[in-house]
Amino acid sequence: MKLYGLRIFVDDYQSARRFYLETLGLKLAWEMAEHGALGVSIGDPQFIIEAVDEESSAEDKALVGRFLGVSLQVENIQETYADLLAKGVVFTGPPEQQFWGGSLAHFKDPAGNLLTLLG
């Protein structure tokens, strides 16, 4: 068994597409735009971006804008943080040193989903 993908639910497909592909600079692995879904390569596994529209159930709408518990490891967290800030990415705060030695900075995608930079 291996992890295939991490599903991220969004309420604005085009904004999410631009954010993950252009702002974060991840690679498009596949797309089914007619179904509001795309796979974004982060190596192995992928982020799977799925649109939740206005006609969706309340249960599905509750999947948008939540803490994902996903950490993206970067070589230089200060540099990546500054670069993403300049691109308009919203962070909850600057990178913070953790007791275990690493640094973390949390940021939001356009749908409000919370992800983490790990340095």
Side-chain angles (χ1 to χ4, degrees), residues 6-9 20 47 63 65-71 109 113-116:
L6 304 164
R7 296 167 67 200
I8 301 173
F9 297 91
Y20 286 96
F47 282 159
L63 298 172
R66 60 190 179 152
F67 178 73
L68 300 173
V70 173
S71 297
D109 76 0
N113 293 300
L114 192 61
L115 297 100
T116 304

PDB file of all heavy atoms in Angstrom, residues 6-9 20 47 63 65-71 109 113-116:
ATOM      1  N   LEU A   6      -3.858  13.448  -1.470  1.00  0.00           N
ATOM      2  CA  LEU A   6      -4.500  14.172  -0.377  1.00  0.00           C
ATOM      3  C   LEU A   6      -5.554  15.072  -0.995  1.00  0.00           C
ATOM      4  O   LEU A   6      -5.227  15.964  -1.780  1.00  0.00           O
ATOM      5  CB  LEU A   6      -3.470  15.004   0.386  1.00  0.00           C
ATOM      6  CG  LEU A   6      -2.285  14.207   0.923  1.00  0.00           C
ATOM      7  CD1 LEU A   6      -1.150  15.128   1.312  1.00  0.00           C
ATOM      8  CD2 LEU A   6      -2.719  13.372   2.094  1.00  0.00           C
ATOM      9  N   ARG A   7      -6.825  14.843  -0.687  1.00  0.00           N
ATOM     10  CA  ARG A   7      -7.919  15.590  -1.295  1.00  0.00           C
ATOM     11  C   ARG A   7      -8.134  16.914  -0.565  1.00  0.00           C
ATOM     12  O   ARG A   7      -8.244  16.946   0.650  1.00  0.00           O
ATOM     13  CB  ARG A   7      -9.187  14.750  -1.272  1.00  0.00           C
ATOM     14  CG  ARG A   7      -9.027  13.508  -2.137  1.00  0.00           C
ATOM     15  CD  ARG A   7     -10.113  12.493  -1.898  1.00  0.00           C
ATOM     16  NE  ARG A   7     -11.416  12.983  -2.349  1.00  0.00           N
ATOM     17  CZ  ARG A   7     -12.557  12.461  -1.908  1.00  0.00           C
ATOM     18  NH1 ARG A   7     -12.570  11.485  -1.035  1.00  0.00           N
ATOM     19  NH2 ARG A   7     -13.698  12.942  -2.371  1.00  0.00           N
ATOM     20  N   ILE A   8      -8.207  18.001  -1.342  1.00  0.00           N
ATOM     21  CA  ILE A   8      -8.420  19.345  -0.821  1.00  0.00           C
ATOM     22  C   ILE A   8      -9.671  19.901  -1.496  1.00  0.00           C
ATOM     23  O   ILE A   8      -9.730  19.986  -2.719  1.00  0.00           O
ATOM     24  CB  ILE A   8      -7.204  20.249  -1.106  1.00  0.00           C
ATOM     25  CG1 ILE A   8      -5.945  19.658  -0.460  1.00  0.00           C
ATOM     26  CG2 ILE A   8      -7.469  21.670  -0.611  1.00  0.00           C
ATOM     27  CD1 ILE A   8      -4.667  20.371  -0.820  1.00  0.00           C
ATOM     28  N   PHE A   9     -10.652  20.278  -0.703  1.00  0.00           N
ATOM     29  CA  PHE A   9     -11.924  20.745  -1.232  1.00  0.00           C
ATOM     30  C   PHE A   9     -11.955  22.263  -1.270  1.00  0.00           C
ATOM     31  O   PHE A   9     -11.586  22.923  -0.302  1.00  0.00           O
ATOM     32  CB  PHE A   9     -13.072  20.180  -0.390  1.00  0.00           C
ATOM     33  CG  PHE A   9     -13.122  18.676  -0.458  1.00  0.00           C
ATOM     34  CD1 PHE A   9     -12.431  17.901   0.458  1.00  0.00           C
ATOM     35  CD2 PHE A   9     -13.829  18.043  -1.460  1.00  0.00           C
ATOM     36  CE1 PHE A   9     -12.455  16.519   0.387  1.00  0.00           C
ATOM     37  CE2 PHE A   9     -13.862  16.662  -1.541  1.00  0.00           C
ATOM     38  CZ  PHE A   9     -13.171  15.893  -0.619  1.00  0.00           C
ATOM     39  N   TYR A  20      -2.468  26.767  -6.676  1.00  0.00           N
ATOM     40  CA  TYR A  20      -1.605  25.590  -6.567  1.00  0.00           C
ATOM     41  C   TYR A  20      -0.610  25.480  -7.720  1.00  0.00           C
ATOM     42  O   TYR A  20       0.546  25.080  -7.517  1.00  0.00           O
ATOM     43  CB  TYR A  20      -2.440  24.316  -6.423  1.00  0.00           C
ATOM     44  CG  TYR A  20      -3.039  24.205  -5.044  1.00  0.00           C
ATOM     45  CD1 TYR A  20      -4.339  24.628  -4.779  1.00  0.00           C
ATOM     46  CD2 TYR A  20      -2.287  23.724  -3.982  1.00  0.00           C
ATOM     47  CE1 TYR A  20      -4.872  24.557  -3.500  1.00  0.00           C
ATOM     48  CE2 TYR A  20      -2.810  23.657  -2.698  1.00  0.00           C
ATOM     49  CZ  TYR A  20      -4.096  24.072  -2.470  1.00  0.00           C
ATOM     50  OH  TYR A  20      -4.616  24.019  -1.190  1.00  0.00           O
ATOM     51  N   PHE A  47      -1.672  16.314  -4.546  1.00  0.00           N
ATOM     52  CA  PHE A  47      -2.834  17.018  -4.024  1.00  0.00           C
ATOM     53  C   PHE A  47      -3.933  16.821  -5.053  1.00  0.00           C
ATOM     54  O   PHE A  47      -3.716  17.019  -6.243  1.00  0.00           O
ATOM     55  CB  PHE A  47      -2.594  18.528  -3.911  1.00  0.00           C
ATOM     56  CG  PHE A  47      -1.786  18.961  -2.725  1.00  0.00           C
ATOM     57  CD1 PHE A  47      -1.146  20.183  -2.743  1.00  0.00           C
ATOM     58  CD2 PHE A  47      -1.678  18.188  -1.585  1.00  0.00           C
ATOM     59  CE1 PHE A  47      -0.408  20.623  -1.665  1.00  0.00           C
ATOM     60  CE2 PHE A  47      -0.948  18.619  -0.495  1.00  0.00           C
ATOM     61  CZ  PHE A  47      -0.305  19.831  -0.536  1.00  0.00           C
ATOM     62  N   LEU A  63     -16.485  20.588   4.017  1.00  0.00           N
ATOM     63  CA  LEU A  63     -15.133  20.109   3.717  1.00  0.00           C
ATOM     64  C   LEU A  63     -14.200  21.234   3.278  1.00  0.00           C
ATOM     65  O   LEU A  63     -12.981  21.076   3.274  1.00  0.00           O
ATOM     66  CB  LEU A  63     -15.185  19.042   2.617  1.00  0.00           C
ATOM     67  CG  LEU A  63     -15.958  17.767   2.950  1.00  0.00           C
ATOM     68  CD1 LEU A  63     -16.085  16.890   1.714  1.00  0.00           C
ATOM     69  CD2 LEU A  63     -15.285  17.016   4.085  1.00  0.00           C
ATOM     70  N   GLY A  65     -12.221  24.833   3.500  1.00  0.00           N
ATOM     71  CA  GLY A  65     -11.700  25.806   4.461  1.00  0.00           C
ATOM     72  C   GLY A  65     -11.321  25.234   5.801  1.00  0.00           C
ATOM     73  O   GLY A  65     -11.509  25.866   6.831  1.00  0.00           O
ATOM     74  N   ARG A  66     -10.742  24.068   5.822  1.00  0.00           N
ATOM     75  CA  ARG A  66     -10.406  23.441   7.101  1.00  0.00           C
ATOM     76  C   ARG A  66      -8.897  23.213   7.227  1.00  0.00           C
ATOM     77  O   ARG A  66      -8.165  23.306   6.247  1.00  0.00           O
ATOM     78  CB  ARG A  66     -11.157  22.127   7.252  1.00  0.00           C
ATOM     79  CG  ARG A  66     -10.844  21.125   6.168  1.00  0.00           C
ATOM     80  CD  ARG A  66     -11.779  19.944   6.218  1.00  0.00           C
ATOM     81  NE  ARG A  66     -11.432  19.027   5.144  1.00  0.00           N
ATOM     82  CZ  ARG A  66     -11.633  17.746   5.189  1.00  0.00           C
ATOM     83  NH1 ARG A  66     -12.209  17.204   6.221  1.00  0.00           N
ATOM     84  NH2 ARG A  66     -11.284  16.985   4.180  1.00  0.00           N
ATOM     85  N   PHE A  67      -8.463  22.899   8.420  1.00  0.00           N
ATOM     86  CA  PHE A  67      -7.061  22.559   8.656  1.00  0.00           C
ATOM     87  C   PHE A  67      -6.804  21.188   8.062  1.00  0.00           C
ATOM     88  O   PHE A  67      -7.529  20.235   8.347  1.00  0.00           O
ATOM     89  CB  PHE A  67      -6.747  22.562  10.150  1.00  0.00           C
ATOM     90  CG  PHE A  67      -5.323  22.165  10.446  1.00  0.00           C
ATOM     91  CD1 PHE A  67      -4.283  23.039  10.169  1.00  0.00           C
ATOM     92  CD2 PHE A  67      -5.030  20.933  10.985  1.00  0.00           C
ATOM     93  CE1 PHE A  67      -2.966  22.684  10.428  1.00  0.00           C
ATOM     94  CE2 PHE A  67      -3.716  20.569  11.255  1.00  0.00           C
ATOM     95  CZ  PHE A  67      -2.688  21.444  10.977  1.00  0.00           C
ATOM     96  N   LEU A  68      -5.789  21.070   7.217  1.00  0.00           N
ATOM     97  CA  LEU A  68      -5.520  19.814   6.524  1.00  0.00           C
ATOM     98  C   LEU A  68      -4.482  18.944   7.226  1.00  0.00           C
ATOM     99  O   LEU A  68      -4.449  17.748   7.013  1.00  0.00           O
ATOM    100  CB  LEU A  68      -5.053  20.109   5.098  1.00  0.00           C
ATOM    101  CG  LEU A  68      -6.061  20.880   4.241  1.00  0.00           C
ATOM    102  CD1 LEU A  68      -5.435  21.274   2.920  1.00  0.00           C
ATOM    103  CD2 LEU A  68      -7.307  20.052   4.026  1.00  0.00           C
ATOM    104  N   GLY A  69      -3.628  19.543   8.023  1.00  0.00           N
ATOM    105  CA  GLY A  69      -2.566  18.765   8.649  1.00  0.00           C
ATOM    106  C   GLY A  69      -1.520  18.321   7.637  1.00  0.00           C
ATOM    107  O   GLY A  69      -0.864  17.309   7.813  1.00  0.00           O
ATOM    108  N   VAL A  70      -1.374  19.084   6.555  1.00  0.00           N
ATOM    109  CA  VAL A  70      -0.434  18.759   5.489  1.00  0.00           C
ATOM    110  C   VAL A  70       0.757  19.703   5.602  1.00  0.00           C
ATOM    111  O   VAL A  70       0.587  20.925   5.628  1.00  0.00           O
ATOM    112  CB  VAL A  70      -1.096  18.925   4.100  1.00  0.00           C
ATOM    113  CG1 VAL A  70      -0.077  18.761   2.990  1.00  0.00           C
ATOM    114  CG2 VAL A  70      -2.233  17.935   3.949  1.00  0.00           C
ATOM    115  N   SER A  71       1.951  19.143   5.666  1.00  0.00           N
ATOM    116  CA  SER A  71       3.170  19.945   5.752  1.00  0.00           C
ATOM    117  C   SER A  71       3.975  19.786   4.474  1.00  0.00           C
ATOM    118  O   SER A  71       4.241  18.663   4.039  1.00  0.00           O
ATOM    119  CB  SER A  71       4.018  19.495   6.941  1.00  0.00           C
ATOM    120  OG  SER A  71       3.327  19.713   8.148  1.00  0.00           O
ATOM    121  N   ASP A 109      -5.011  28.578   1.471  1.00  0.00           N
ATOM    122  CA  ASP A 109      -5.285  28.642   0.040  1.00  0.00           C
ATOM    123  C   ASP A 109      -6.490  29.559  -0.166  1.00  0.00           C
ATOM    124  O   ASP A 109      -7.062  30.056   0.815  1.00  0.00           O
ATOM    125  CB  ASP A 109      -5.454  27.238  -0.552  1.00  0.00           C
ATOM    126  CG  ASP A 109      -6.780  26.559  -0.249  1.00  0.00           C
ATOM    127  OD1 ASP A 109      -7.647  27.143   0.437  1.00  0.00           O
ATOM    128  OD2 ASP A 109      -6.961  25.421  -0.713  1.00  0.00           O
ATOM    129  N   ASN A 113      -8.427  26.749   3.182  1.00  0.00           N
ATOM    130  CA  ASN A 113      -7.805  25.530   3.687  1.00  0.00           C
ATOM    131  C   ASN A 113      -6.433  25.881   4.237  1.00  0.00           C
ATOM    132  O   ASN A 113      -5.680  26.633   3.611  1.00  0.00           O
ATOM    133  CB  ASN A 113      -7.661  24.491   2.570  1.00  0.00           C
ATOM    134  CG  ASN A 113      -8.993  23.985   2.083  1.00  0.00           C
ATOM    135  OD1 ASN A 113      -9.760  23.422   2.855  1.00  0.00           O
ATOM    136  ND2 ASN A 113      -9.285  24.188   0.816  1.00  0.00           N
ATOM    137  N   LEU A 114      -6.099  25.364   5.397  1.00  0.00           N
ATOM    138  CA  LEU A 114      -4.856  25.698   6.082  1.00  0.00           C
ATOM    139  C   LEU A 114      -3.811  24.614   5.850  1.00  0.00           C
ATOM    140  O   LEU A 114      -4.050  23.446   6.160  1.00  0.00           O
ATOM    141  CB  LEU A 114      -5.137  25.870   7.582  1.00  0.00           C
ATOM    142  CG  LEU A 114      -4.051  26.493   8.428  1.00  0.00           C
ATOM    143  CD1 LEU A 114      -3.736  27.908   7.971  1.00  0.00           C
ATOM    144  CD2 LEU A 114      -4.503  26.525   9.895  1.00  0.00           C
ATOM    145  N   LEU A 115      -2.666  25.017   5.296  1.00  0.00           N
ATOM    146  CA  LEU A 115      -1.541  24.117   5.062  1.00  0.00           C
ATOM    147  C   LEU A 115      -0.332  24.634   5.818  1.00  0.00           C
ATOM    148  O   LEU A 115      -0.350  25.752   6.331  1.00  0.00           O
ATOM    149  CB  LEU A 115      -1.213  24.063   3.564  1.00  0.00           C
ATOM    150  CG  LEU A 115      -2.318  23.509   2.664  1.00  0.00           C
ATOM    151  CD1 LEU A 115      -3.065  24.644   2.009  1.00  0.00           C
ATOM    152  CD2 LEU A 115      -1.747  22.580   1.646  1.00  0.00           C
ATOM    153  N   THR A 116       0.731  23.841   5.870  1.00  0.00           N
ATOM    154  CA  THR A 116       1.903  24.190   6.660  1.00  0.00           C
ATOM    155  C   THR A 116       3.169  24.078   5.840  1.00  0.00           C
ATOM    156  O   THR A 116       3.373  23.098   5.122  1.00  0.00           O
ATOM    157  CB  THR A 116       2.016  23.251   7.882  1.00  0.00           C
ATOM    158  OG1 THR A 116       0.811  23.322   8.644  1.00  0.00           O
ATOM    159  CG2 THR A 116       3.197  23.604   8.762  1.00  0.00           C
TER     160      THR A 116
END
